C-alpha cells in the first residue's frame, strides 16, 4: 500500500543548494548537520554527501612526496569529476532496438563522494521516442538484481538520458529539483554521469530512476490478475497521457484537449503491466477516467463536495501544474510523458514529473515570455474556471516562490559541476542536429550557443517567466 510521504525517506536522497559541492542527486535537500530529523532509514545506506578533501596544510619539515600510486583500473578514464558508468555488452554487441534487451554487465566508478558499484550483470536496450532517432542514444538498463546505485534506493531499472538536444545539459536536472520542492509524492532521483559503452566514451548522461511502481518510486498498491472486483479493483494504476499513441492499452477520452490528438486526451495504462492487466481492470480504469472527466466538465464541477475535488487530489494537480509552468514545459498541453496514478480506494493523483528537455525554458518554443504556457492544458482550462482552484494555485505559487527564486543559483552550481563534462560532450555531439525532427529548425533555440551562454539564457528565461506567472495568475 502507498504509505504517503515519509519524512525520513523524503530527506534521505541527497540534493540541494545547501551543499554547493554536489547539486546533483535529487529530489530532496541535503540535510543540515544540526537537523535531527534528516536521518536515513536504517535499512537504507546513509547519505553520500560529497567527501571533503583532507587538510593538506604542511606541518613541520616538508618531506619529499611519495610517487603517486598507479590506478589499478585499466578501463577508459574520463576526467570530469563525474561518476563513470561502464556498460559492456556480451561480445560487444550493438544496441539497436527499443524492445530487445542485449545481455551486458555494468559497473560504476564513483567520484565526488559516491560509492562505486562493482560489476554486476544486466541487460540494456534503447528507449525514448524522438530521442531514440538522434545520434546520441538514451538507454534503459535492467539489472539482474536490485542494487543501490550512487546513493539511490535499490532497484533493477535505471535510465540513462542522453540530453542530446540540451546545450545546458541541465534541463532535466533542474526540473527534477523544482519538482522536489513541491509536495508531489515522488520525484525521480538522478545523477549526472559519464557513459563508457563497450570501451568508448559516449558523453555526458543523466542517470535517473525509471518511473515504476515500487515502494520507493510510485508507491501504490501492487495489483494481481485476481483483483477484479470490489475495493481490490480500484487500484493501484499508473497512467500515462501520451500523444504518440503507441501503447499496448490506450484510449482517447473525449473531455479536455491535447495539441497532438484530436477529439480529447490520450490515456494509457503503464501499470498493471500489459501482460498482466485483466479486462476487468481495463474496463474499470477507463470508466473511472471517463467518470472523473465527466464531473470536471459537468455543470456542478466546482462543488466542493460532489465536484472534481471529490475525485482529484487537488494539491497534487496544483503542484504538478506549477512545475510544468515554472519550467515552461508545454508538454503538459501536448502530453507525451504526463503521469497520473491512483491507489486502491484513493483519488486520482498527478505525477510524477518526467521528460523535461524539449522546449523547456525556451521562449523560442513555448512563447512563455508574455503568457502562461499551460493555462489551457488537458483538464486545466476547465479547472481554472473555478475561482477557488485558481486562488489555490496562486497561493501555492507564492508559497513556493522563495524556493523557486533560488533556482538560478542552483543553475550556476550545475554549470560548475558539469563544465568539464560539457566540454568533452560537445566535442562529440552537436545539439543542433535536433533540427531533423523539427522541420529543419532547432528546438530549444540555444543549440548553437556556448555552454555558458546557453545557461545564462536559461536563467534569464526562468526569472522572466516567474514574473509572467505572478502577473497572469
Amino acid at each position: 500500500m502507498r504509505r504517503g510521504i515519509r519524512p525520513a525517506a523524503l530527506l534521505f536522497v541527497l540534493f540541494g543548494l545547501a551543499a554547493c559541492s554536489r547539486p546533483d542527486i535529487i529530489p530532496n535537500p541535503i540535510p543540515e548537520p544540526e537537523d535531527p530529523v534528516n536521518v536515513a532509514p536504517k535499512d537504507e545506506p546513509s547519505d553520500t554527501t560529497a567527501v571533503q578533501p583532507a587538510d593538506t596544510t604542511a606541518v613541520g619539515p616538508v618531506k619529499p612526496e611519495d610517487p603517486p600510486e598507479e590506478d589499478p583500473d585499466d578501463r577508459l578514464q574520463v576526467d570530469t569529476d563525474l561518476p563513470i558508468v561502464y556498460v559492456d555488452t556480451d561480445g560487444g554487441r550493438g544496441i539497436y532496438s527499443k524492445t530487445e534487451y542485449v545481455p551486458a554487465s555494468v559497473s560504476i566508478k564513483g567520484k565526488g563522494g559516491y560509492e562505486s558499484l562493482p560489476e554486476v550483470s544486466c541487460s540494456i536496450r534503447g528507449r525514448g521516442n524522438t530521442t531514440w532517432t538522434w545520434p546520441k542514444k538514451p538507454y534503459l538498463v535492467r539489472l539482474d538484481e536490485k542494487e543501490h546505485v550512487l546513493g539511490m534506493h535499490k532497484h533493477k531499472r535505471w535510465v540513462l538520458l542522453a540530453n542530446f538536444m540540451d546545450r545546458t545539459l541541465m534541463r532535466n536536472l533542474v526540473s527534477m529539483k523544482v519538482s522536489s520542492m513541491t509536495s508531489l509524492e515522488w520525484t525521480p532521483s538522478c545523477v549526472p554521469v559519464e557513459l563508457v559503452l563497450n570501451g568508448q566514451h559516449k558523453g555526458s548522461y543523466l542517470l535517473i530512476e525509471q518511473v515504476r511502481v515500487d515502494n520507493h518510486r510510485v508507491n501504490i498498491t501492487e495489483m494481481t490478475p485476481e483483483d477484479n472486483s470490489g475495493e481490490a479493483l480500484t487500484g493501484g494504476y499508473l497512467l500515462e497521457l501520451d500523444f504518440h499513441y503507441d501503447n499496448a492499452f490506450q484510449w482517447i477520452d473525449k473531455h479536455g484537449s491535447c495539441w497532438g490528438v484530436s477529439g480529447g486526451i490520450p490515456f494509457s495504462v503503464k501499470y498493471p503491466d500489459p501482460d498482466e492487466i485483466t479486462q476487468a481492470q481495463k474496463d474499470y480504469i477507463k470508466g473511472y477516467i471517463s467518470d472523473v472527466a465527466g464531473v470536471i466538465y459537468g455543470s456542478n464541477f466546482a462543488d466542493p463536495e460532489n465536484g472534481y475535488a471529490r475525485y482529484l487530489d487537488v494539491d497534487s494537480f496544483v503542484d504538478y501544474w506549477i512545475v510544468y509552468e515554472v519550467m515552461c514545459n508545454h508538454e503538459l498541453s501536448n502530453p507525451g510523458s504526463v503521469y497520473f496514478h491512483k491507489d486502491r480506494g484513493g483519488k486520482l493523483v498527478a505525477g510524477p514529473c518526467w521528460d523535461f528537455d524539449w522546449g523547456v525554458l525556451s521562449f523560442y518554443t513555448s512563447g512563455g515570455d508574455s503568457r502562461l504556457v499551460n493555462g489551457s492544458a488537458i483538464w486545466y482550462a476547465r479547472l481554472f474556471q473555478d475561482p477557488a482552484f485558481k486562488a489555490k494555485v496562486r497561493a501555492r505559487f507564492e508559497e513556493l516562490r522563495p524556493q523557486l527564486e533560488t533556482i538560478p543559483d542552483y543553475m550556476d552550481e550545475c554549470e560548475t559541476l558539469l563544465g568539464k563534462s560539457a566540454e568533452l560532450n560537445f566535442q562529440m555531439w552537436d545539439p543542433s542536429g535536433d533540427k531533423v525532427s523539427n522541420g529543419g529548425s532547432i528546438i530549444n533555440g540555444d543549440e548553437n550557443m556556448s555552454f555558458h551562454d546557453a545557461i545564462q539564457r536559461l536563467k534569464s528565461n526562468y526569472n522572466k517567466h516567474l514574473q509572467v506567472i505572478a502577473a497572469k495568475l
Side-chain angles (χ1 to χ4, degrees):
M1 293 289 291
R2 175 168 59 86
R3 296 189 293 271
I5 302 176
R6 296 169 296 143
L10 273 174
L11 292 163
F12 161 62
V13 186
L14 309 177
F15 192 89
L17 292 164
C20 299
S21 59
R22 208 175 71 189
D24 38 11
I25 297 188
I26 353 223
N28 304 297
I30 292 178
E32 297 290 345
E34 67 273 13
D35 188 346
V37 179
N38 300 340
V39 179
K42 290 182 180 180
D43 61 342
E44 298 295 339
S46 60
D47 74 47
T48 50
T49 305
V51 175
Q52 299 300 317
D55 184 359
T56 56
T57 304
V59 179
V62 178
K63 298 180 180 179
E65 293 185 359
D66 294 329
E69 295 184 4
E70 292 187 7
D71 189 341
D73 191 343
D74 60 358
R75 298 173 296 181
L76 177 67
Q77 301 301 308
V78 185
D79 187 17
T80 65
D81 302 324
L82 298 183
I84 307 172
V85 176
Y86 295 95
V87 177
D88 293 288
T89 62
D90 287 6
R93 289 172 55 187
I95 305 165
Y96 304 116
S97 171
K98 295 195 302 178
T99 57
E100 296 181 10
Y101 282 95
V102 176
S105 64
V106 62
S107 61
I108 300 177
K109 184 171 185 175
K111 292 188 178 183
Y114 292 107
E115 291 187 4
S116 296
L117 176 71
E119 184 175 293
V120 295
S121 297
C122 69
S123 52
I124 184 171
R125 64 169 174 83
R127 65 163 308 279
N129 291 300
T130 303
T131 54
W132 178 246
T133 68
W134 292 335
K136 186 186 180 192
K137 305 294 186 183
Y139 301 105
L140 173 63
V141 177
R142 184 179 64 188
L143 306 181
D144 286 4
E145 303 290 339
K146 290 184 177 182
E147 300 283 353
H148 290 292
V149 176
L150 298 177
M152 294 179 277
H153 285 293
K154 270 188 174 182
H155 208 279
K156 289 184 178 182
R157 293 175 183 263
W158 304 88
V159 171
L160 285 161
L161 293 179
N163 290 327
F164 169 72
M165 67 185 297
D166 186 2
R167 176 63 76 172
T168 73
L169 295 178
M170 65 177 69
R171 281 181 165 89
N172 277 298
L173 187 61
V174 171
S175 299
M176 296 304 107
K177 172 61 175 175
V178 171
S179 175
S180 76
M181 293 174 167
T182 73
S183 64
L184 292 175
E185 292 182 355
W186 174 68
T187 295
S189 298
C190 52
V191 182
V193 298
E194 303 294 337
L195 174 62
V196 175
L197 176 60
N198 290 330
Q200 293 186 340
H201 181 214
K202 294 297 184 179
S204 181
Y205 277 72
L206 189 66
L207 180 63
I208 186 168
E209 295 176 305
Q210 187 191 23
V211 176
R212 300 283 295 181
V213 170
D214 182 83
N215 286 344
H216 295 302
R217 296 190 182 181
V218 181
N219 193 3
I220 57 177
T221 305
E222 295 188 20
M223 299 189 74
T224 72
E226 286 71 46
D227 294 331
N228 293 310
S229 62
E231 181 83 354
L233 184 58
T234 68
Y237 296 93
L238 174 62
L239 306 175
E240 183 181 20
L241 285 61
D242 184 5
F243 77 91
H244 297 98
Y245 214 63
D246 56 359
N247 295 279
F249 174 51
Q250 58 196 1
W251 72 95
I252 296 176
D253 186 84
K254 66 180 181 180
H255 305 91
S257 63
C258 165
W259 292 358
V261 175
S262 61
I265 298 174
F267 283 84
S268 65
V269 176
K270 308 303 285 188
Y271 182 86
D273 293 334
D275 57 347
E276 295 184 354
I277 190 170
T278 67
Q279 189 60 49
Q281 292 165 358
K282 291 178 181 179
D283 292 343
Y284 170 81
I285 192 60
K286 183 178 179 180
Y288 179 84
I289 291 299
S290 179
D291 291 345
V292 172
V295 171
I296 293 173
Y297 286 86
S299 59
N300 203 32
F301 83 107
D303 184 276
E305 297 296 329
N306 297 309
Y308 65 83
R310 181 176 179 178
Y311 302 95
L312 302 184
D313 183 298
V314 177
D315 288 345
S316 71
F317 275 82
V318 168
D319 279 6
Y320 200 59
W321 184 87
I322 287 174
V323 176
Y324 274 85
E325 188 61 37
V326 163
M327 297 305 297
C328 283
N329 188 352
H330 68 275
E331 189 161 312
L332 192 60
S333 298
N334 188 39
S337 299
V338 170
Y339 288 96
F340 297 162
H341 57 277
K342 183 191 180 302
D343 203 359
R344 184 164 295 175
K347 296 181 179 183
L348 191 65
V349 180
C353 292
W354 184 261
D355 193 13
F356 279 67
D357 54 4
W358 189 299
V360 168
L361 287 177
S362 172
F363 301 155
Y364 185 86
T365 299
S366 68
D369 54 334
S370 60
R371 63 175 178 84
L372 296 177
V373 174
N374 292 301
S376 299
I378 50 175
W379 292 338
Y380 284 99
R382 181 62 163 165
L383 294 174
F384 274 117
Q385 291 177 10
D386 178 15
F389 182 83
K390 186 172 183 178
K392 193 175 186 70
V393 173
R394 172 72 189 193
R396 180 60 169 156
F397 173 73
E398 290 300 333
E399 181 183 7
L400 290 171
R401 194 169 180 180
Q403 294 183 71
L404 296 173
E405 288 174 345
T406 66
I407 288 295
D409 291 336
Y410 177 73
M411 292 178 183
D412 288 337
E413 296 170 10
C414 289
E415 180 177 6
T416 299
L417 177 75
L418 296 169
K420 293 179 182 179
S421 183
E423 183 177 357
L424 294 181
N425 185 80
F426 296 126
Q427 290 174 9
M428 291 184 281
W429 308 110
D430 178 4
S432 69
D434 64 5
K435 61 188 176 185
V436 301
S437 303
N438 196 42
S441 298
I442 57 176
I443 294 168
N444 286 329
D446 59 10
E447 287 89 333
N448 292 315
M449 293 182 177
S450 69
F451 177 62
H452 175 74
D453 288 349
I455 294 170
Q456 296 306 305
R457 175 180 180 265
L458 200 72
K459 291 194 298 181
S460 175
N461 288 357
Y462 180 87
N463 285 327
K464 187 169 185 178
H465 196 61
L466 285 185
Q467 297 174 3
V468 170
I469 296 171
K472 296 295 183 180
L473 283 178

